[in-house]
Amino acid sequence: MEATLSAPPLSAFLRRVPPLRRLIPLSLPPLLIASRRLRVSSCAHGSDGGRIVAKPSSELRRGISEARENSSKGEDEKLLSLRRIFSRPDVGIDAYIVPSQDAHQSEFIAECFMRRAFLTGFTGSAGTAVVTKDKAALWTDGRYFLQAEKELTRDWILMRSGTRGVPTASEWLNDILPPGARIGIDPFLFSFDAAEELKQEISKKNHELILLKEFNLVDEIWNDSRPDPPSKPTRVHDIKYAGADVVSKLSYLRSHLGEYGCTAIVVSMLDEVAWLLNMRGSDVPHSPVFYGYLVVELDRATLFVDSKKVTKEVLNHLTNARVELKPYESILPEIESLALKSAKLWLDTSSVNAAIVSVFRSACKRYSMQLNNNSTNQSIHHGGPDALYQVSPVALAKAVKNNAEIEGMKNAHLRDAAASVEFWCWLEKEIESNVTLTEVDVADALLEFRQKQEGFIETSFDTISGYGANGAIIHYRPIPGDCSLVENKNLFLLDSGAQYVDGTTDITRTVHFGEPSKWQKECFTRVLQGHIAIDEAVFPERTPGFVLDVLARSSLWKVGLDYRHGTGHGVGAALNVHEGPQSISFRFGNLTALQKGMIVSNEPGYYEDRSFGIRIENLLLVTEANVPNAYGGIEYLGFEKLTFVPIQTKVVELSLMSPGEIKWLNDYHAQVWEKVSPLLNGEALDWLWKNTRPI
């Protein structure tokens, strides 16, 4: 059944959150650009070019040992090759910055865009590499410190971001480079805001930011071994899961364009494009999205995509929604055309890449020059191109799920819970029988259980299967031949998720198959107390997520413990497992209010380096709270659980738990039994019964 878009009016949100910038004429000088040839889709040959369903980070890791051997014989050949390019006449730089992103600021990216991983050997999803003529450094955050230590060769300096005394990349460059140096970036791989911030920071030492748009320097040394771009077809996301048709979504978007006096918007985030068009793809590992840009004008919409990915069904779907098609690589000429047509363009500069914004600015400057040369035509003075630099109106609309999306997420989570219970039942039996299993074996087995569930597509991220010390590596990825056995002598952390046709899941459980130590039980219990505190939180509307973060850490803080990651991230409905703008985190700069219909994770943890890791994660739906009062006449909100898999009770130290916390755990397990038992039988049903009994 079709429904109208249920997201709240964006105007209400914008009145609460100050805009990044107001509507201004773009007559400023363009950023420095070395050249102007779009080459985003020109990946070299080397792979099957199809859907990436293997473990891409694992594939990249296989070359780490070889890279270390080579580095022991001399300087890294990749760095040598990259530095040779610095002095070419068409480059002429002193340093080059290689981020993790693709041209759409994606977290997960196609293999042909994994430039930082190829260059450094570090396969974590977050990190920035900086190479000068004689130094190379990698910045990453606390989730990846241990992983980076293992993967980087001796040619790289590990910069632990957020650690006291560690400079930012721009501070480091300002310190080691002589004044007036030229620092190059690929403008497709930086949001405009990120490029502008970098430009301002390095200008303190009179350094110059060079936008090298014609080619990426890492691609130059990657050459023919670079994987092909993905080319599998896209698909229509059924209206019974989407809950609103494309025409309704585009109408919603156009109403906000009109409200702010804009005539067009560039949508570049891949999940926003997929959500608006009710389409899904398989270009990016773990995320059902495809590479494309969407330009929505008041009277037309254009999708820039590789036509080979558009099936007849998808073409009919787009035609019915009055969406035109153009080649992916023609986005920059289209941006120039919009400027010359005096467009009032909405640009979310936190996500739209610097190449697009710089081209629009350059075209606006040319328009201004034409205006000055044709001053007798007074009508031109009132119709020049402008830009609204503002958060994308699509982000919030996508984050607030409609009824169909919520129903799909709930159904997907129940099937995923059944698969998880069958898996844990199997694994516990194998461990008790002393069967030899590696972390990879365990992750592969979980995948097999999930594959049996209706609507399963793929994993929503690389499974984090960490036994003992590996569990302390927050985003650990096991690989064959370089991982641990899963035994009964230490804690085992398993963080995994799946993409189903109707929903996206993400769950973490930490268990011990033997006897946990007293210290492990205390740490686990304090993490559980933080998890419960978030789950039970009640808060007034318009509360940003960072306000709740302290609830998850309070029990740990009381004994001087903490963890180096956020407590919760947004989750898409049959979309990206990480989505914004909402989050629960210590990063207080995110002022996005939690709203009814949003989905967030609840995942406090504790990690003892080289010993063990603990994380407990459920997904939560923001709902209206049933409270007796409404102080100030406002609504109060709380959470509804989506994840229903038992939490191992033998790792809980009951003496630390309050009666209310014990009741929460028993009530949760009663819900798990009620909701999941109808989907099971045999040994799995018996296992669920045993693991949901009250304590």
Side-chain angles (χ1 to χ4, degrees), residues 22 102 317 322 326 405 414 485 501 509 526 566 589 596 617 646 690:
R22 287 297 174 191
D102 56 21
H317 169 75
R322 299 189 297 278
K326 287 189 178 181
E405 291 171 322
L414 289 181
L485 297 178
V501 68
R509 290 294 182 264
R526 292 187 181 279
K596 282 192 303 184
E617 177 184 17
K690 182 178 71 172

PDB file of all heavy atoms in Angstrom, residues 22 102 317 322 326 405 414 485 501 509 526 566 589 596 617 646 690:
ATOM      1  N   ARG A  22      24.085  31.105   4.920  1.00  0.00           N
ATOM      2  CA  ARG A  22      22.874  31.603   4.298  1.00  0.00           C
ATOM      3  C   ARG A  22      23.059  31.732   2.791  1.00  0.00           C
ATOM      4  O   ARG A  22      24.154  31.578   2.262  1.00  0.00           O
ATOM      5  CB  ARG A  22      22.486  32.962   4.903  1.00  0.00           C
ATOM      6  CG  ARG A  22      21.920  32.828   6.308  1.00  0.00           C
ATOM      7  CD  ARG A  22      20.626  32.018   6.280  1.00  0.00           C
ATOM      8  NE  ARG A  22      20.127  31.759   7.619  1.00  0.00           N
ATOM      9  CZ  ARG A  22      19.145  30.917   7.865  1.00  0.00           C
ATOM     10  NH1 ARG A  22      18.591  30.239   6.892  1.00  0.00           N
ATOM     11  NH2 ARG A  22      18.739  30.738   9.097  1.00  0.00           N
ATOM     12  N   ASP A 102      35.483   7.864  -0.964  1.00  0.00           N
ATOM     13  CA  ASP A 102      35.310   7.972  -2.401  1.00  0.00           C
ATOM     14  C   ASP A 102      34.735   9.353  -2.706  1.00  0.00           C
ATOM     15  O   ASP A 102      34.717  10.237  -1.835  1.00  0.00           O
ATOM     16  CB  ASP A 102      34.405   6.853  -2.934  1.00  0.00           C
ATOM     17  CG  ASP A 102      33.035   6.818  -2.255  1.00  0.00           C
ATOM     18  OD1 ASP A 102      32.612   7.847  -1.682  1.00  0.00           O
ATOM     19  OD2 ASP A 102      32.381   5.764  -2.294  1.00  0.00           O
ATOM     20  N   HIS A 317      10.757   2.242 -13.894  1.00  0.00           N
ATOM     21  CA  HIS A 317      10.538   2.832 -12.571  1.00  0.00           C
ATOM     22  C   HIS A 317      10.925   4.311 -12.565  1.00  0.00           C
ATOM     23  O   HIS A 317      10.165   5.164 -12.072  1.00  0.00           O
ATOM     24  CB  HIS A 317      11.357   2.042 -11.546  1.00  0.00           C
ATOM     25  CG  HIS A 317      11.454   2.652 -10.191  1.00  0.00           C
ATOM     26  ND1 HIS A 317      10.423   2.635  -9.288  1.00  0.00           N
ATOM     27  CD2 HIS A 317      12.491   3.313  -9.571  1.00  0.00           C
ATOM     28  CE1 HIS A 317      10.805   3.236  -8.168  1.00  0.00           C
ATOM     29  NE2 HIS A 317      12.059   3.656  -8.318  1.00  0.00           N
ATOM     30  N   ARG A 322       9.439  10.335 -13.643  1.00  0.00           N
ATOM     31  CA  ARG A 322       9.933  11.476 -14.426  1.00  0.00           C
ATOM     32  C   ARG A 322      11.369  11.841 -14.025  1.00  0.00           C
ATOM     33  O   ARG A 322      11.702  13.004 -13.828  1.00  0.00           O
ATOM     34  CB  ARG A 322       8.993  12.677 -14.301  1.00  0.00           C
ATOM     35  CG  ARG A 322       7.591  12.394 -14.823  1.00  0.00           C
ATOM     36  CD  ARG A 322       6.756  13.660 -14.897  1.00  0.00           C
ATOM     37  NE  ARG A 322       6.542  14.257 -13.598  1.00  0.00           N
ATOM     38  CZ  ARG A 322       5.608  13.866 -12.741  1.00  0.00           C
ATOM     39  NH1 ARG A 322       4.808  12.857 -13.059  1.00  0.00           N
ATOM     40  NH2 ARG A 322       5.456  14.465 -11.588  1.00  0.00           N
ATOM     41  N   LYS A 326      21.551  10.431 -17.186  1.00  0.00           N
ATOM     42  CA  LYS A 326      22.731  10.944 -17.867  1.00  0.00           C
ATOM     43  C   LYS A 326      23.946  10.164 -17.378  1.00  0.00           C
ATOM     44  O   LYS A 326      23.911   9.586 -16.280  1.00  0.00           O
ATOM     45  CB  LYS A 326      22.922  12.444 -17.615  1.00  0.00           C
ATOM     46  CG  LYS A 326      21.917  13.325 -18.349  1.00  0.00           C
ATOM     47  CD  LYS A 326      22.286  14.801 -18.232  1.00  0.00           C
ATOM     48  CE  LYS A 326      21.307  15.671 -19.018  1.00  0.00           C
ATOM     49  NZ  LYS A 326      21.659  17.113 -18.936  1.00  0.00           N
ATOM     50  N   GLU A 405       8.866   1.247   6.710  1.00  0.00           N
ATOM     51  CA  GLU A 405      10.281   1.024   6.991  1.00  0.00           C
ATOM     52  C   GLU A 405      10.470   0.430   8.382  1.00  0.00           C
ATOM     53  O   GLU A 405      11.291  -0.469   8.586  1.00  0.00           O
ATOM     54  CB  GLU A 405      11.049   2.339   6.854  1.00  0.00           C
ATOM     55  CG  GLU A 405      11.143   2.838   5.418  1.00  0.00           C
ATOM     56  CD  GLU A 405      11.723   4.237   5.306  1.00  0.00           C
ATOM     57  OE1 GLU A 405      11.420   5.080   6.179  1.00  0.00           O
ATOM     58  OE2 GLU A 405      12.471   4.482   4.348  1.00  0.00           O
ATOM     59  N   LEU A 414      13.766  -9.917  13.590  1.00  0.00           N
ATOM     60  CA  LEU A 414      13.306 -11.187  14.153  1.00  0.00           C
ATOM     61  C   LEU A 414      13.907 -12.364  13.397  1.00  0.00           C
ATOM     62  O   LEU A 414      14.348 -13.350  14.009  1.00  0.00           O
ATOM     63  CB  LEU A 414      11.776 -11.242  14.118  1.00  0.00           C
ATOM     64  CG  LEU A 414      11.057 -10.307  15.095  1.00  0.00           C
ATOM     65  CD1 LEU A 414       9.552 -10.462  14.977  1.00  0.00           C
ATOM     66  CD2 LEU A 414      11.507 -10.567  16.533  1.00  0.00           C
ATOM     67  N   LEU A 485      42.345 -19.026  17.383  1.00  0.00           N
ATOM     68  CA  LEU A 485      41.323 -20.028  17.640  1.00  0.00           C
ATOM     69  C   LEU A 485      40.327 -19.472  18.641  1.00  0.00           C
ATOM     70  O   LEU A 485      40.670 -18.639  19.491  1.00  0.00           O
ATOM     71  CB  LEU A 485      41.957 -21.308  18.206  1.00  0.00           C
ATOM     72  CG  LEU A 485      42.944 -22.060  17.308  1.00  0.00           C
ATOM     73  CD1 LEU A 485      43.498 -23.269  18.060  1.00  0.00           C
ATOM     74  CD2 LEU A 485      42.276 -22.494  16.013  1.00  0.00           C
ATOM     75  N   VAL A 501      16.255  -7.666   2.451  1.00  0.00           N
ATOM     76  CA  VAL A 501      15.508  -6.863   1.496  1.00  0.00           C
ATOM     77  C   VAL A 501      14.620  -5.844   2.208  1.00  0.00           C
ATOM     78  O   VAL A 501      14.296  -4.791   1.652  1.00  0.00           O
ATOM     79  CB  VAL A 501      14.664  -7.770   0.565  1.00  0.00           C
ATOM     80  CG1 VAL A 501      13.534  -8.456   1.334  1.00  0.00           C
ATOM     81  CG2 VAL A 501      14.114  -6.987  -0.610  1.00  0.00           C
ATOM     82  N   ARG A 509      27.489  -9.319  20.654  1.00  0.00           N
ATOM     83  CA  ARG A 509      27.407 -10.078  21.897  1.00  0.00           C
ATOM     84  C   ARG A 509      28.816 -10.501  22.297  1.00  0.00           C
ATOM     85  O   ARG A 509      29.654 -10.823  21.446  1.00  0.00           O
ATOM     86  CB  ARG A 509      26.515 -11.310  21.746  1.00  0.00           C
ATOM     87  CG  ARG A 509      25.034 -10.985  21.592  1.00  0.00           C
ATOM     88  CD  ARG A 509      24.464 -10.364  22.861  1.00  0.00           C
ATOM     89  NE  ARG A 509      23.031 -10.088  22.762  1.00  0.00           N
ATOM     90  CZ  ARG A 509      22.527  -8.911  22.424  1.00  0.00           C
ATOM     91  NH1 ARG A 509      23.337  -7.897  22.127  1.00  0.00           N
ATOM     92  NH2 ARG A 509      21.220  -8.732  22.387  1.00  0.00           N
ATOM     93  N   ARG A 526      29.558  -3.670  34.136  1.00  0.00           N
ATOM     94  CA  ARG A 526      29.522  -2.214  34.021  1.00  0.00           C
ATOM     95  C   ARG A 526      29.156  -1.781  32.591  1.00  0.00           C
ATOM     96  O   ARG A 526      28.481  -0.778  32.402  1.00  0.00           O
ATOM     97  CB  ARG A 526      30.855  -1.619  34.453  1.00  0.00           C
ATOM     98  CG  ARG A 526      31.114  -1.785  35.947  1.00  0.00           C
ATOM     99  CD  ARG A 526      32.332  -1.061  36.438  1.00  0.00           C
ATOM    100  NE  ARG A 526      32.525  -1.288  37.878  1.00  0.00           N
ATOM    101  CZ  ARG A 526      31.881  -0.630  38.826  1.00  0.00           C
ATOM    102  NH1 ARG A 526      31.016   0.323  38.498  1.00  0.00           N
ATOM    103  NH2 ARG A 526      32.101  -0.898  40.110  1.00  0.00           N
ATOM    104  N   GLY A 566      31.979   6.040  19.898  1.00  0.00           N
ATOM    105  CA  GLY A 566      30.662   6.532  20.244  1.00  0.00           C
ATOM    106  C   GLY A 566      29.791   5.420  20.797  1.00  0.00           C
ATOM    107  O   GLY A 566      30.065   4.228  20.634  1.00  0.00           O
ATOM    108  N   GLY A 589      29.553  18.190  19.101  1.00  0.00           N
ATOM    109  CA  GLY A 589      29.296  19.094  17.988  1.00  0.00           C
ATOM    110  C   GLY A 589      28.070  18.715  17.181  1.00  0.00           C
ATOM    111  O   GLY A 589      27.541  19.527  16.422  1.00  0.00           O
ATOM    112  N   LYS A 596      11.216  10.810  16.888  1.00  0.00           N
ATOM    113  CA  LYS A 596      10.439   9.587  16.707  1.00  0.00           C
ATOM    114  C   LYS A 596      10.678   9.021  15.312  1.00  0.00           C
ATOM    115  O   LYS A 596      10.625   9.751  14.331  1.00  0.00           O
ATOM    116  CB  LYS A 596       8.946   9.865  16.892  1.00  0.00           C
ATOM    117  CG  LYS A 596       8.495   9.981  18.315  1.00  0.00           C
ATOM    118  CD  LYS A 596       6.974   9.954  18.433  1.00  0.00           C
ATOM    119  CE  LYS A 596       6.318  11.051  17.615  1.00  0.00           C
ATOM    120  NZ  LYS A 596       4.855  11.068  17.820  1.00  0.00           N
ATOM    121  N   GLU A 617      25.568  -4.759  22.076  1.00  0.00           N
ATOM    122  CA  GLU A 617      24.900  -3.848  21.143  1.00  0.00           C
ATOM    123  C   GLU A 617      23.529  -4.364  20.720  1.00  0.00           C
ATOM    124  O   GLU A 617      23.378  -5.501  20.274  1.00  0.00           O
ATOM    125  CB  GLU A 617      25.758  -3.662  19.889  1.00  0.00           C
ATOM    126  CG  GLU A 617      25.108  -2.777  18.833  1.00  0.00           C
ATOM    127  CD  GLU A 617      25.917  -2.690  17.562  1.00  0.00           C
ATOM    128  OE1 GLU A 617      26.812  -3.549  17.370  1.00  0.00           O
ATOM    129  OE2 GLU A 617      25.656  -1.784  16.754  1.00  0.00           O
ATOM    130  N   PRO A 646      19.651 -13.313  23.285  1.00  0.00           N
ATOM    131  CA  PRO A 646      20.035 -13.348  24.699  1.00  0.00           C
ATOM    132  C   PRO A 646      21.396 -12.719  24.976  1.00  0.00           C
ATOM    133  O   PRO A 646      22.310 -12.760  24.142  1.00  0.00           O
ATOM    134  CB  PRO A 646      20.053 -14.847  25.022  1.00  0.00           C
ATOM    135  CG  PRO A 646      19.109 -15.458  24.039  1.00  0.00           C
ATOM    136  CD  PRO A 646      19.280 -14.653  22.785  1.00  0.00           C
ATOM    137  N   LYS A 690      16.872 -22.166  27.629  1.00  0.00           N
ATOM    138  CA  LYS A 690      17.871 -22.176  28.703  1.00  0.00           C
ATOM    139  C   LYS A 690      18.497 -20.800  28.910  1.00  0.00           C
ATOM    140  O   LYS A 690      18.795 -20.410  30.049  1.00  0.00           O
ATOM    141  CB  LYS A 690      18.958 -23.196  28.369  1.00  0.00           C
ATOM    142  CG  LYS A 690      20.035 -23.329  29.451  1.00  0.00           C
ATOM    143  CD  LYS A 690      21.068 -24.383  29.082  1.00  0.00           C
ATOM    144  CE  LYS A 690      21.946 -23.923  27.947  1.00  0.00           C
ATOM    145  NZ  LYS A 690      23.086 -24.866  27.696  1.00  0.00           N
TER     146      LYS A 690
END
